[in-house]
Amino acid sequence: MSAPDNIEVPDEVRARHAELCRDLDDHSYRYYLGAPIISDAEYDRLMLELREIEERHPILVTQDSPTQKVGAPISVDFAEVEHLVRMESLGNAFDFDELNAWADRASAEVPVDGYLCELKIDGLAVDLVYERGRLIRAATRGDGRVGEDITLNVRTIGVIPERLDESVRPAPELLEVRGEVFLPVEDFEELNRRIAADGSHAPFANPRNAAAGSLRQKDPRVTATRPLSMIVHGVGAYTPAAEDAGATVFTSQSQAYRLLGEWGLPLSDRYKVVATMDEVRDYVSHYQEHRHDPAYEIDGIVIKVDDIALQRRLGSTSRAPRWAIAYKYPPEEVTTRLIDIKVGVGRTGRVTPYGVMEPVVVAGSEVEFATLHNAQEVARKGVLIGDVVVLRKAGDVIPEIVGPVVERRDGNEREFVMPETCPECGTPLGQQKEGDVDLRCPNARSCPGQLRERVAFIAGRKALDIEALGYVAATALTQPLEPSEPALRDEGDLFDLTVEQLLPIRTHVLDPDTTEPKTDPKTGEPKVVSFFANMKGEPKKTVEKLFEQLEEAKSKPLWRVLVSLSIRHVGPRAAEDLARHFRSMDAIREATEEELAAVDGIGPTIARSVREWFEVDWHAEIVRKWAAAGVRMEDEGHEPGSRLLEGVTVVVTGSLEGFTRDGAKEAVAEEGGRATASVSKKTAFVVVGDAPGSKYDKAVKLGVPVLDEAGFRVLLEQGPEAAEKLRINPPEETEAE
């Protein structure tokens, strides 16, 4: 009879197990110190491999295995403290199948009639201990049993009470609570700007590292300068007040949260109790799509059985509770190899370095290219060609290289040298103005790269929104292969195109990230297409669609026309402000710099840029050609001050049935109002659709009138006074600020 599998462990398996244990302990230690050299996704992959080995060979499991420990080793810089109740880690689910399997295991033991869902904040886990309502100790998670005493630093965090509020309920004799300390994203960005300006040390890679570094300052005065916050999400040890002795205070997770809130502890306003797993999956899916709505970074959702008696019956494994799990979203920060740094030219002539990397999946999509902004930014980040780099992608923004993993250099890396000439037309590069950090190609009209980017931008949703005029079409119109001539000398010719001009055009298909020709996988040669003609030489259906959409674009609002001119610094917001104030292209062109700067939301930089743009002859010719072709050059129908929403600020959040997000904003602008992205005391109305998120909550808190879609239509048709009567949060029901 052969020996059990857990005794006969092959030497290579033992060696791999030992290697994984050493590596994971090392990575945990580096993570704890705020200087990780691998991504969270890579760490999770290594941990999964180790667990699989130990499941096949249980004899390898020891107390020192990373699978049996939570967190990282303890730094000698801070005193060690033992937690009253062990701080457990959470098991992970990476897809709905794994989440469903967890739910099936839990409900197989006891019927589960409620789940609490909450955001998994990407911060630093902290344990707080209160005795008779007074904060006596704060500690890091450490290894789950022993952490580091950071009481003095935690006391600098404004949202954490020194004493519990006893106005509603007496404070417990003893209360141990767990939560996550974090740095809000906007505050993190401001902190990094401040660090970069004073040169005190290297900027932080992400808000999580900034929070960890801030809490581990030896001088609490330094911590006090960091805008840290905290959200409580659990209870450890608990002894009720004498008058509550014998009472069962915490019957559910959600009830515990309500009581913690009564004592003045900071809670999330986004947790939700649901009855079914279908609702759990809806919550997970909603925040995967709205991952960047909260003010802080999240990396997933935590799902807990709400009933605390059921939690106790389900119990825990050696390191994680069976009654809770973390659903992890695809990582937004990974590591990969930087193969090269190249440069591309944009629509305003700005020449931008970008990284070419070994393809890697980040935030659910494969990424091969990432921006590096400018040569100074490459130097500031210390990135070398050949480095292993940290890559970050937040939402729909262009992936960005955060910085190098210096510890993984092998000596073969080399520095990036910024070119002296334009990669598209060969013109010498220079600064547009003294002191500019960006280098630009001054050949604005004739540089084929700039023209291609400008034409593609005109087609974008923020400009004239011409779907049939995509990047390949823009390339075909500006950079055809010989013997064809470009159909566009500049964008002024766009609305005078003819079918006869388009049919002969052949072009390379360019990658929009690199502007380099894509290759045919079969031949390895650059792809060549006849974009506008079919095999018979007849117009494709896209040609008819293009001309239809060009005709529709002529009637778009003035602000979209302004955006489409690619005036430096004039984006949608500035264009809306200019169009609202002047109402015609002629008035904008004839305005002085002082008159432009006086417009609310404009200022001297934008005013100077607008004035300089119109002073260029070929720019003025673009406007003349567009006007002659019938492009709308003024917003008609209202005298100054006569529009219903003149001076009214509106925020639109959530999904509306009868309006796209851009359509709702345009409707507000048409009536002289301003559609903004954030809610403040100055906001006149907040319009909410399905899944409105935090903007609705903030409107209620500030007492800003909230309208549904029907109320929004009344606002557009009858004005603020009529809409005020239809607000769905009556003034008497708003929260105090």
Side-chain angles (χ1 to χ4, degrees), residues 351-578:
V351 177
T352 305
Y354 64 89
V356 181
M357 299 162 298
E358 292 179 355
V360 63
V361 175
V362 54
S365 60
E366 187 173 84
V367 173
E368 190 175 355
F369 308 100
T371 182
L372 281 162
H373 300 296
N374 53 55
Q376 288 88 337
E377 188 74 357
V378 176
R380 184 186 71 80
K381 291 182 175 180
V383 176
L384 302 178
I385 297 170
D387 268 333
V388 172
V389 295
V390 177
L391 178 68
R392 179 175 176 76
K393 183 182 179 185
D396 294 327
V397 302
I398 299 171
E400 179 182 10
I401 293 171
V402 177
V405 183
V406 177
E407 293 84 352
R408 294 179 68 172
R409 285 179 174 164
D410 59 14
N412 293 317
E413 299 79 14
R414 68 184 192 279
E415 289 189 5
F416 163 71
V417 179
M418 190 73 177
E420 297 180 353
T421 58
C422 175
E424 296 275 357
C425 67
T427 303
L429 303 177
Q431 298 171 322
Q432 184 167 333
K433 290 184 175 61
E434 186 177 349
D436 277 358
V437 296
D438 296 320
L439 293 179
R440 295 179 184 271
C441 170
N443 183 23
R445 185 179 192 184
S446 302
C447 176
Q450 291 186 58
L451 178 56
R452 177 191 65 239
E453 298 299 320
R454 292 199 302 270
V455 172
F457 178 77
I458 289 170
R461 290 183 59 191
K462 293 182 178 180
L464 292 182
D465 195 11
I466 307 170
E467 184 182 354
L469 182 60
Y471 199 83
V472 177
T475 304
L477 293 171
T478 58
Q479 297 169 285
L481 298 177
E482 293 183 357
S484 299
E485 291 292 323
L488 300 179
R489 183 185 179 197
D490 58 42
E491 54 267 54
D493 299 327
L494 182 61
F495 292 96
D496 294 320
L497 288 171
T498 66
V499 174
E500 289 72 27
Q501 286 177 288
L502 304 185
L503 295 184
I505 293 177
R506 289 165 56 80
T507 185
H508 284 136
V509 179
L510 300 190
D511 188 310
D513 291 313
T514 66
T515 71
E516 295 181 355
K518 291 184 177 180
T519 56
D520 188 315
K522 294 181 180 179
T523 65
E525 296 295 320
K527 284 186 177 180
V528 176
V529 295
S530 179
F531 189 77
F532 300 105
N534 60 24
M535 298 292 289
K536 297 179 180 180
E538 300 169 339
K540 294 180 179 179
K541 290 183 179 180
T542 53
V543 173
E544 181 180 354
K545 187 176 180 182
L546 172 62
F547 282 105
E548 287 176 355
Q549 293 180 356
L550 284 171
E551 192 63 32
E552 292 171 2
K554 294 178 182 179
S555 60
K556 294 290 176 71
L558 176 61
W559 73 265
R560 286 188 173 274
V561 179
L562 271 173
V563 171
S564 300
L565 295 175
S566 288
I567 303 172
R568 192 179 178 193
H569 303 305
V570 179
R573 177 71 178 272
E576 288 176 5
D577 291 336
L578 289 168

